[in-house]
Amino acid sequence: MIYLNNAATSYPKPSCVKEALQAYLNSTPASQFRGSEQIGRPDTEEICRKNLGKILGIKETGRIYFSSGATEALNTILCGMSDLLEDGEILVTQTEHNSVLRPILNHKCLKKFQMVTVPCTMDGEVTAEALEKSVTDRTRAIIVNHCSNVTGRVQDMNRIGEFARRHHLFFAADVSQSAGCLPVCADEWGVDALAFTGHKSLMGIPGTGGYYISPVWKMRPLQYGGTGRNSSQLIYEEGDYEYETGTQNLPGIAALGAATEYILETGLQTIMEREEHLMRILYEGLGAMSGITVYGSRETCKGPVMSFNFKNLSPSDAAYIFQNIYGITVRTGLHCSPLIHQAMGTGKQGTVRISISCFTTEEEIMEFLKAAGQMACAGIGEKI
């Protein structure tokens, strides 16, 4: 099997991830703040937080909180933000994932805000002109997807951070697609909140992720419960909040800690260079095929993900042929980001999406291009 769906969940995982998960499951259970059995041991969560701080560009790693993934993290950020800001508008870019769009449009606490969509170009760029045209004196916040999970377009977050500060906006970043494979500089960007997931390019397992909240904000948490700190406290004073409640996914956090250690030891630059080399081969190969439309280019789309369509095959038919004839796993449809497809003109059926990891080989890419070329010529998946 050739796996090219890493934008959904990365595969394979580094061996150290599996080893860390197994080691944790084989050890005596240790819950933070809740027993004496962990005394003298390095804290699983704190080790992972420090590694994440280096990868995400966050100095105050104690402000990184774990969750089940980016969806929970974004719901927490958005609902907490709504408590802090007066009625008005929230800017979302046309590249956003449903983990942003659906909370804003469905949570009762967010009904006081009007969602304003900042348009993007066909390949997913959010321009300075589009931002300035979208902001009004009623705008209170902006949510930005750092790297599109459809086209791989990476936004200029320094420019967007400057825009947010100039207009006094709450600035939240979704780095789910970029964390672990592209530079993330939360402190430099000046973000107020940031959400990430662990199972994509951070190379952890599903059910892990988290968020960062700037020290200047005291956001109300999304949920309350046991923390193991001060069990006699039942009511929280405003601002005196705890964000990690209940039993944490410590096996998953241990695995994520090992994954982040792997990224730091390998080096982000090394990972980027490997993936950039493979993506350039993909863009050049698919771009040379007359029966294929590629959305974006390697000059503008720097993430390890791209979208294309066959002129004579629907995306769903193409995925079926890739999987069942060639043994290649891709993904098709709208990829949980419906608005960007309006800009791309692919809103009816979506696209075929391929996404790589640093473990993808050049031989696998060449096999994929060979299959795509045959499909583009034949139109019915027959080898020619």
Side-chain angles (χ1 to χ4, degrees):
M1 180 191 76
I2 297 175
Y3 183 80
L4 297 176
N5 191 23
N6 291 276
T9 297
S10 61
Y11 175 85
K13 307 295 184 184
S15 59
C16 62
V17 172
K18 294 173 275 189
E19 291 165 4
L21 180 61
Q22 189 64 47
Y24 192 92
L25 293 174
N26 286 336
S27 65
T28 305
S31 300
Q32 190 179 32
F33 308 122
R34 299 176 188 180
S36 60
E37 65 277 356
Q38 72 270 39
I39 292 175
R41 298 183 186 180
D43 185 83
T44 301
E45 292 160 296
E46 293 311 307
I47 292 171
C48 190
R49 270 188 250 273
K50 289 179 180 178
N51 288 347
L52 286 167
K54 295 174 183 176
I55 293 170
L56 302 177
I58 296 170
K59 288 183 179 179
E60 294 203 35
T61 57
R63 301 289 297 180
I64 298 173
Y65 305 102
F66 293 109
S67 69
S68 63
T71 297
E72 181 184 344
L74 287 163
N75 275 263
T76 300
I77 290 169
L78 290 165
C79 289
M81 177 197 72
S82 73
D83 231 20
L84 300 170
L85 305 176
E86 60 185 51
D87 299 3
E89 299 169 346
I90 300 178
L91 298 184
V92 302
T93 78
Q94 201 172 9
T95 71
E96 299 309 308
H97 191 274
N98 278 340
S99 294
V100 167
L101 305 177
R102 286 175 173 168
I104 292 175
L105 295 173
N106 288 280
H107 271 303
K108 288 184 179 180
C109 65
L110 291 163
K111 293 292 186 182
K112 65 181 181 179
F113 295 105
Q114 178 184 354
M115 189 180 83
V116 175
T117 304
V118 183
C120 68
T121 63
M122 192 174 190
D123 67 2
E125 180 189 10
V126 178
T127 66
E129 181 182 10
L131 288 167
E132 295 296 343
K133 284 184 177 180
S134 301
V135 70
T136 71
D137 59 3
R138 298 190 67 250
T139 307
R140 304 290 178 254
I142 181 169
I143 318 295
V144 181
N145 184 5
H146 181 210
C147 176
S148 169
N149 68 312
V150 179
T151 66
R153 182 75 196 218
V154 180
Q155 306 302 336
D156 185 341
M157 299 297 272
N158 278 310
R159 185 187 69 201
I160 295 173
E162 186 277 328
F163 164 83
R165 290 189 294 276
R166 182 157 38 86
H167 292 283
H168 308 290
L169 307 181
F170 183 97
F171 177 24
D174 178 1
V175 300
S176 298
Q177 211 62 61
S178 55
C181 66
L182 294 168
V184 176
C185 309
D187 289 345
E188 181 182 319
W189 298 341
V191 300
D192 296 299
L194 175 144
F196 64 92
T197 193
H199 68 285
K200 298 188 180 186
S201 289
L202 282 176
M203 303 190 204
I205 66 173
T208 59
Y211 53 98
Y212 161 76
I213 303 173
S214 167
V216 303
W217 296 98
K218 303 294 183 182
M219 295 173 58
R220 190 180 297 276
L222 187 64
Q223 59 189 17
Y224 298 86
T227 63
R229 288 181 185 268
N230 180 8
S231 295
S232 65
Q233 181 181 13
L234 298 180
I235 299 175
Y236 290 91
E237 300 297 329
E238 187 173 351
D240 179 28
Y241 300 128
E242 296 180 273
Y243 297 99
E244 293 174 346
T245 60
T247 301
Q248 296 297 295
N249 180 10
L250 291 177
I253 294 170
L256 181 59
T260 55
E261 194 71 39
Y262 175 85
I263 292 170
L264 292 171
E265 289 179 355
T266 303
L268 184 63
Q269 187 63 35
T270 299
I271 291 171
M272 288 173 58
E273 288 173 359
R274 287 181 191 172
E275 294 181 348
E276 182 178 356
H277 171 66
L278 296 178
M279 290 303 295
R280 188 163 295 282
I281 295 173
L282 281 169
Y283 273 104
E284 290 175 354
L286 289 177
M289 297 178 190
S290 59
I292 287 176
T293 300
V294 177
Y295 302 94
S297 68
R298 193 56 193 158
E299 285 65 42
T300 61
C301 300
K302 299 296 185 180
V305 54
M306 67 182 294
S307 278
F308 70 97
N309 271 326
F310 290 95
K311 294 179 180 178
N312 52 9
L313 285 171
S314 70
S316 58
D317 286 344
Y320 181 87
I321 295 168
F322 271 127
Q323 183 70 56
N324 291 281
I325 293 181
Y326 296 99
I328 300 172
T329 299
V330 298
R331 182 161 176 172
T332 63
L334 302 180
H335 317 298
C336 299
S337 298
L339 300 186
I340 192 174
H341 289 276
Q342 297 172 7
M344 296 165 61
T346 54
K348 191 171 183 179
Q349 297 187 79
T351 61
V352 180
R353 185 185 75 182
I354 50 177
S355 48
I356 64 171
S357 82
C358 64
F359 292 113
T360 306
T361 67
E362 189 168 331
E363 290 74 21
E364 290 174 326
I365 296 299
M366 299 310 295
E367 282 296 313
F368 165 79
L369 288 174
K370 180 180 177 182
Q374 292 174 346
M375 291 166 62
C377 290
I380 55 174
E382 295 176 354
K383 294 187 178 182
I384 58 175

